[in-house]
Amino acid sequence: QPVAPLPASQPVAPLPSRSALCGALKQTRNRQSIARLIAELEPQSQKEYTMCIAAWGRAGDWRRAVGLFDTMSDAGVEPNPFSVSAVVSACEKGGQPARALEIFEQARAGDRFESNVVVFNAALAACSRGGEWRRALELLDGMRRQGVAPNERTFGAAISACAKGGAPPERALELLAEMRSSGLRVTQAATRDQPRSTQRSTRVITTRGAGGRQRRHQRVRRRGGLEGRPLPPR
């Protein structure tokens, strides 16, 4: 009796490449999909860990983001400004600004990386969410001391922290003046959290030169009874 031929073997689908898995992570906010993709990827580099941490942040799962950040350190992969920024942002977006700032300070204390504007901006966003205006101004001073140039997002977060934390109005005006003198564009996002009285002054600042800005700032302070008084301590 003739032997029946063996069935043709089915082609085996190739495993997704690491770049494909990373690309898929960027596109999803589904927690089950993120967990599956991370398990398949088994992150090994700073870039891969950062992508995975950022994915948990976009999904709103700050606890898993922190857990993965800790796993990164345990695996011997040193954090960099982008991985720290990813975990700080995950905590901030998850409504945990105090945890975000704690992680930021712990990471900086180890001197394992050089802070840049990205990680400072993440910390300042946490200050904004928590209304920690004094902390925001301290971070700005720290940036200056380290030679890290602030950008529009830096000032916007610091101004927002001042507004939400109830800082004296002149603090926001000083930041706006510094922003303008640095050649940065004052955007609506940078002023949306300010009280209306400060916003009116801001509109003049954004449309006049340095001399007009200074004169208008002095008039605003004089009308509010602040002319000649020292600024409150930070």
Side-chain angles (χ1 to χ4, degrees):
Q1 186 175 359
V3 179
L6 294 173
S9 60
Q10 297 295 323
V12 179
L15 294 175
S17 66
R18 302 187 73 81
S19 60
L21 290 171
C22 289
L25 270 173
K26 291 181 179 179
Q27 300 299 320
T28 184
R29 295 174 183 267
N30 181 276
R31 296 187 182 189
Q32 290 183 342
S33 298
I34 292 170
R36 176 181 56 80
L37 290 166
I38 291 175
E40 291 184 35
L41 178 64
E42 295 182 350
Q44 299 173 4
S45 65
Q46 289 177 329
K47 183 177 180 180
E48 289 176 350
Y49 270 105
T50 299
M51 286 183 176
C52 295
I53 293 168
W56 283 128
R58 288 193 303 274
D61 197 329
W62 67 271
R63 288 183 177 86
R64 281 198 171 103
V66 173
L68 191 58
F69 181 74
D70 292 339
T71 299
M72 176 183 182
S73 300
D74 294 341
V77 181
E78 289 293 326
N80 62 8
F82 302 102
S83 58
V84 175
S85 172
V87 69
V88 169
S89 294
C91 291
E92 178 264 319
K93 292 173 183 174
Q96 302 293 320
R99 185 76 175 103
L101 290 170
E102 180 186 356
I103 291 172
F104 170 75
E105 294 297 347
Q106 287 175 349
R108 280 209 307 167
D111 290 330
R112 292 184 291 177
F113 67 91
E114 186 174 351
S115 299
N116 63 10
V117 70
V118 174
V119 71
F120 270 113
N121 283 353
L124 281 160
C127 292
S128 170
R129 184 173 290 272
E132 296 282 350
W133 66 273
R134 290 182 176 86
R135 188 80 171 273
L137 296 181
E138 289 172 1
L139 287 176
L140 266 176
D141 288 341
M143 291 180 71
R144 297 183 188 103
R145 288 194 299 270
Q146 292 187 30
V148 179
N151 58 20
E152 287 91 347
R153 183 171 294 184
T154 311
F155 282 106
I159 291 167
S160 175
C162 289
K164 293 178 180 178
E170 56 266 25
R171 292 294 182 216
L173 289 172
E174 288 173 345
L175 291 172
L176 287 162
E178 181 182 351
M179 191 175 182
R180 180 78 178 192
S181 65
S182 300
L184 299 174
R185 185 168 58 92
V186 180
T187 62
Q188 185 177 1
T191 60
R192 65 187 172 198
D193 294 321
Q194 297 178 79
R196 288 186 177 180
S197 60
T198 308
Q199 287 180 352
R200 284 195 292 271
S201 303
T202 300
R203 282 195 289 272
V204 176
I205 288 173
T206 59
T207 56
R208 295 189 180 182
R213 181 178 65 252
Q214 186 179 19
R215 289 194 297 273
R216 178 58 172 166
H217 188 184
Q218 289 172 346
R219 286 200 297 271
V220 170
R221 294 188 65 198
R222 197 158 38 237
R223 189 180 301 119
L226 297 171
E227 184 70 21
R229 297 184 190 177
L231 294 177
R234 292 184 178 178

